[in-house]
Amino acid sequence: MYACAEYASPHFSRIRGNPACRFIDWKLQNAYDDSGDEIVPRPRGDDVDEDRLLRWREGRTGFPWIDACMRQLKAEGWIHHLARHSVACFLTRGQCYISWERGMEIFDEWLIDWDPASNPGNWMWLSCSAFFSQYYRVYGLVSWPQRTDKTGALVRKYCPELARYPDKYIYAPHMAPPAVQTRAGCVVGVDYPWPMLDEQGEKARCVARIKDAYALGLHGDHPSVRSGEAGARLRRMHEAGGRAAVETVTEAGNGEVVQATATTGTRKRKADAGNGTLDDFVKRERR
């Protein structure tokens, strides 16, 4: 399928000029000069987005499932197709809202089963830019791996600093009580990073922004995409709907996890580190 789509679609491995690719105003897209030529190397984007891309690439997101998958990919050049789904969804429509072009580049570099049609095709599919449109179906960063790898075997192998964590906390070590972290020999924020974003908050923002893009209904070969007006229209739609803010999660320094909204600077209490509940993450077993 992808080989046929690539043959029929100019510029299949990028957004701009690609008739198969729905236009979504992802962050860190390819950049072009006034004559339409791609600027290489790509100009640096927003610091938050660049940091998220780097941490995703290096397996330092603070989400063990994502980190283990990316570390395996870098070390071995291969990951299971469901792991590919998870890391691609997270980078694009799930939480980070970063262009699939960036993920495709990294897969180009690391995958040993790379294919010139399947790689961009799969990235468009998993970002809901083409071939698949159920953008509201997002892989959970805790709930999904709990279904597929209940004991966290992959995490324990590729994130060995987390190897001694109980199963209950293996996908959310930041929720473990301090005593559990100490016994495991891995204190979050010291030996393993805090989650770099708020999973549910960023998921909601991504879904709302992609809904705007679907409502606009443009593809990469539309003249307004080439001129930049399509991106400006989407930004206005996001701002009108209150979806322009970028939220980051950090530790306040007193054990409290806080959420900061970049455009407003507001802060609100999220959870007490170590004293939080996993009710939203761990499904109770049926008795």
Side-chain angles (χ1 to χ4, degrees):
M1 177 183 73
Y2 292 142
C4 294
E6 182 193 35
Y7 180 80
S9 304
H11 310 298
F12 190 66
S13 61
R14 70 187 201 191
I15 297 169
R16 181 167 169 164
N18 184 351
C21 181
R22 188 180 298 274
F23 177 71
I24 300 171
D25 61 330
W26 307 112
K27 301 300 183 71
L28 308 186
Q29 292 188 36
N30 291 351
Y32 300 88
D33 61 23
D34 293 340
S35 62
D37 295 326
E38 184 178 351
I39 301 173
V40 180
R42 175 183 59 84
R44 183 175 174 82
D46 178 81
D47 286 346
V48 171
D49 299 318
E50 294 286 2
D51 181 64
R52 288 181 176 182
L53 176 62
L54 178 62
R55 292 176 65 173
W56 175 83
R57 176 188 175 102
E58 295 181 346
R60 296 187 296 107
T61 68
F63 295 102
W65 171 244
I66 299 298
D67 292 345
C69 292
M70 292 303 297
R71 294 183 194 186
Q72 181 188 16
L73 175 61
K74 184 175 183 179
E76 300 178 3
W78 182 91
I79 49 176
H80 190 275
H81 78 276
L82 292 179
R84 303 181 194 202
H85 287 203
S86 294
V87 299
C89 180
F90 175 76
L91 184 68
T92 58
R93 64 184 170 88
Q95 278 80 27
C96 296
Y97 207 72
I98 289 173
S99 176
W100 59 266
E101 297 164 322
R102 305 285 73 79
M104 180 195 69
E105 288 176 343
I106 294 170
F107 274 34
D108 278 349
E109 180 182 352
W110 289 349
L111 274 181
I112 58 175
D113 60 349
W114 170 88
D115 178 88
S118 295
N119 193 31
N122 277 324
W123 274 95
M124 281 187 273
W125 181 305
L126 291 165
S127 64
C128 287
S129 297
F131 311 113
F132 182 71
S133 59
Q134 296 180 27
Y135 56 84
Y136 47 85
R137 298 183 64 180
V138 175
Y139 289 91
L141 304 180
V142 176
S143 59
W144 172 251
Q146 281 179 336
R147 292 170 53 193
T148 58
D149 184 3
K150 296 182 185 298
T151 63
L154 191 79
V155 169
R156 298 180 196 282
K157 179 175 181 179
Y158 293 100
C159 299
E161 64 270 37
L162 300 173
R164 294 167 57 193
Y165 264 76
D167 292 354
K168 179 179 181 179
Y169 297 108
I170 192 64
Y171 294 116
H174 65 289
M175 301 297 288
V180 172
Q181 296 186 30
T182 300
R183 283 198 301 271
C186 178
V187 175
V188 176
V190 177
D191 306 299
Y192 182 76
W194 286 93
M196 70 178 188
L197 51 75
D198 172 42
E199 176 187 359
Q200 297 303 322
E202 289 296 83
K203 171 186 172 181
R205 190 176 71 95
C206 285
V207 168
R209 289 162 68 96
I210 296 175
K211 184 176 181 180
D212 287 343
Y214 270 59
L216 190 60
L218 301 178
H219 287 74
D221 60 344
H222 194 276
S224 66
V225 173
R226 297 177 182 271
S227 69
E229 175 56 27
R233 289 176 64 185
L234 275 179
R235 286 191 293 272
R236 290 193 292 269
M237 292 172 70
H238 301 332
E239 290 170 0
R243 294 181 283 273
V246 176
E247 294 180 340
T248 57
V249 174
T250 57
E251 185 188 9
N254 57 357
E256 182 179 300
V257 180
V258 298
Q259 177 175 308
T261 304
T263 55
T264 64
T266 58
R267 290 159 63 91
K268 60 182 180 180
R269 182 177 180 275
K270 291 295 293 180
D272 290 332
N275 296 320
T277 174
L278 286 180
D279 288 348
D280 292 336
F281 296 110
V282 180
K283 292 184 178 179
R284 293 187 176 89
E285 296 181 358
R286 292 181 180 178
R287 297 183 182 277

